[in-house]
């Protein structure tokens, strides 16, 4: 293939842009800010689950507290009723004796229920403290998640901006390469990742191998507008003043 040297040199600009585009794609796929965000988002989600479990447990115990209070109140009310009837001396001697007896049982029952109530209230206090602590951690971590999102999005936006810029420059450079040479470059790029390389001091910039002997003589003697390729990696080899020919 024939192509004016100025068109061939543009391939080096194109290769530099394509290399940078590949670096940016790699950077996006391995963004530390994205990894940090994912880590903290996973921890936040686990904390969220933990908070929901703690709140559910607290609500369950609160219902126990309410039931316990109601039970104690019921016994107190019944004892108060008996006491006032006893005080008023209502009923037969047998009835009054039975009520007196029941007051004793009610007092024991009340003491038991109050012990249970105390135990359940202590559990409720412990769970309240758990919920308060988890809510605090949740709030702090929510802020950290927001910061991680912002850091990741800023890094992605920076990459996108550079990609847009490279896209414009690439279109500009590719326009001056010419269709036939560009097609060859793209074909090699699809196979090897880099379509063209500079020949620097008799070394291929693509595979880094030194070109010697008959290959070197053939390249040195090829007319400037002849498109030559590396025998090792088959990339387009662009000759410049640095080629050492
Ligand atoms: Zn090569």
């Amino acid at each position: 293939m024939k192509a004016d040297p100025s068109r061939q040199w543009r391939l080096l600009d194109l290769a530099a842009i394509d290399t940078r585009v590949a670096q940016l794609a790699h950077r996006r796929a391995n963004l530390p800010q994205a990894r940090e965000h994912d880590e903290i988002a996973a921890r936040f989600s686990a904390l969220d689950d933990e908070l929901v479990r703690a709140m559910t447990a607290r609500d369950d115990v609160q219902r126990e507290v309410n039931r316990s209070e109601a039970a104690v109140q019921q016994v107190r009310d019944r004892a108060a009723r008996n006491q006032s009837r006893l005080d008023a001396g209502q009923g037969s001697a047998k009835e009054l004796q039975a009520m007196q007896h029941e007051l004793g049982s009610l007092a024991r029952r009340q003491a038991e229920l109050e012990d249970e109530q105390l135990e359940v209230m202590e559990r409720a206090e412990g769970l309240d403290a758990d919920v308060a602590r988890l809510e605090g951690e949740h709030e702090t971590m929510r802020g950290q998640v927001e910061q991680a999102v912002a850091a990741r999005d800023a890094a992605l936006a920076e990459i996108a901006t550079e990609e847009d810029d490279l896209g414009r420059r690439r279109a500009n450079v590719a326009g001056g390469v010419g269709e036939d040479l560009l097609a060859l470059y793209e074909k090699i790029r699809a196979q090897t990742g880099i379509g063209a390389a500079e020949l620097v001091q008799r070394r291929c910039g693509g595979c880094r191998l030194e070109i010697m002997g008959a290959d070197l003589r053939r390249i040195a003697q090829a007319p400037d507008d002849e498109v030559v390729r590396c025998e090792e990696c088959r990339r387009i080899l662009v000759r410049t003043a640095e080629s050492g020919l």
Side-chain angles (χ1 to χ4, degrees):
M1 186 185 291
K2 294 276 185 186
D4 189 81
S6 68
R7 284 169 60 201
Q8 295 189 37
W9 295 333
R10 281 175 173 261
L11 288 182
L12 296 179
D13 294 337
L14 207 55
I17 290 169
D18 286 339
T19 298
R20 185 62 191 150
V21 168
Q23 282 169 353
L24 288 176
H26 182 263
R27 202 166 117 196
R28 180 191 283 110
N30 299 280
L31 208 60
Q33 290 91 338
R35 202 163 49 239
E36 279 160 25
H37 167 265
D38 292 349
E39 274 171 20
I40 197 161
R43 283 196 285 132
F44 185 64
S45 169
L47 182 63
D48 203 51
D49 291 346
E50 201 182 340
L51 178 59
V52 169
R53 277 195 301 274
M55 287 169 114
T56 305
R58 182 195 57 185
D59 293 349
D60 288 348
V61 170
Q62 189 54 51
R63 270 192 292 277
E64 278 187 59
V65 169
N66 297 344
R67 269 199 303 272
S68 181
E69 277 172 357
V72 169
Q73 194 56 48
Q74 202 177 19
V75 171
R76 277 191 191 136
D77 290 348
R78 186 166 176 88
R81 217 160 40 238
N82 281 7
Q83 190 63 56
S84 65
R85 285 173 70 187
L86 273 175
D87 292 348
Q90 289 172 347
S92 67
K94 204 178 167 190
E95 280 169 344
L96 291 175
Q97 196 182 5
M99 270 189 278
Q100 187 70 54
H101 181 74
E102 202 196 32
L103 270 181
S105 323
L106 286 171
R108 282 193 298 278
R109 180 71 187 133
Q110 184 176 336
E112 276 171 24
L113 286 172
E114 281 172 349
D115 283 350
E116 281 173 28
Q117 186 183 21
L118 201 64
E119 183 268 331
V120 83
M121 281 171 77
E122 278 170 4
R123 267 164 55 210
E125 276 175 25
L127 289 166
D128 275 342
D130 285 351
V131 168
R133 174 180 56 80
L134 288 168
E135 278 175 341
E137 286 177 21
H138 197 262
E139 200 48 42
T140 303
M141 197 175 272
R142 184 198 300 282
Q144 290 170 345
V145 170
E146 280 167 10
Q147 281 176 0
V149 167
R152 180 202 59 190
D153 289 352
L156 286 173
E158 198 180 306
I159 291 172
T161 302
E162 190 175 345
E163 280 175 338
D164 287 348
D165 181 46
L166 287 168
R168 276 189 295 276
R169 279 170 53 202
R170 192 184 197 280
N172 203 14
V173 172
V177 171
E179 270 184 32
D180 51 349
L181 187 57
L182 187 62
L184 178 62
Y185 170 88
E186 294 292 15
K187 191 178 130 201
I188 299 167
R189 187 165 80 95
Q191 290 162 356
T192 68
I194 302 172
E198 184 178 359
L199 179 63
V200 183
Q201 301 305 324
R202 298 188 294 280
R203 207 173 276 276
C204 167
C207 64
R208 309 279 168 196
L209 289 175
E210 188 172 357
I211 295 163
M212 293 179 289
D215 287 339
L216 184 65
R217 280 196 295 281
R218 179 178 57 78
I219 289 169
Q221 286 161 12
D224 283 350
D225 65 349
E226 179 77 32
V227 175
V228 297
R229 295 176 61 178
C230 173
E231 289 300 329
E232 294 297 333
C233 69
R234 302 301 297 152
R235 294 189 176 101
I236 297 168
L237 215 40
V238 179
R239 288 165 289 168
T240 67
E242 308 301 318
S243 293
L245 295 173

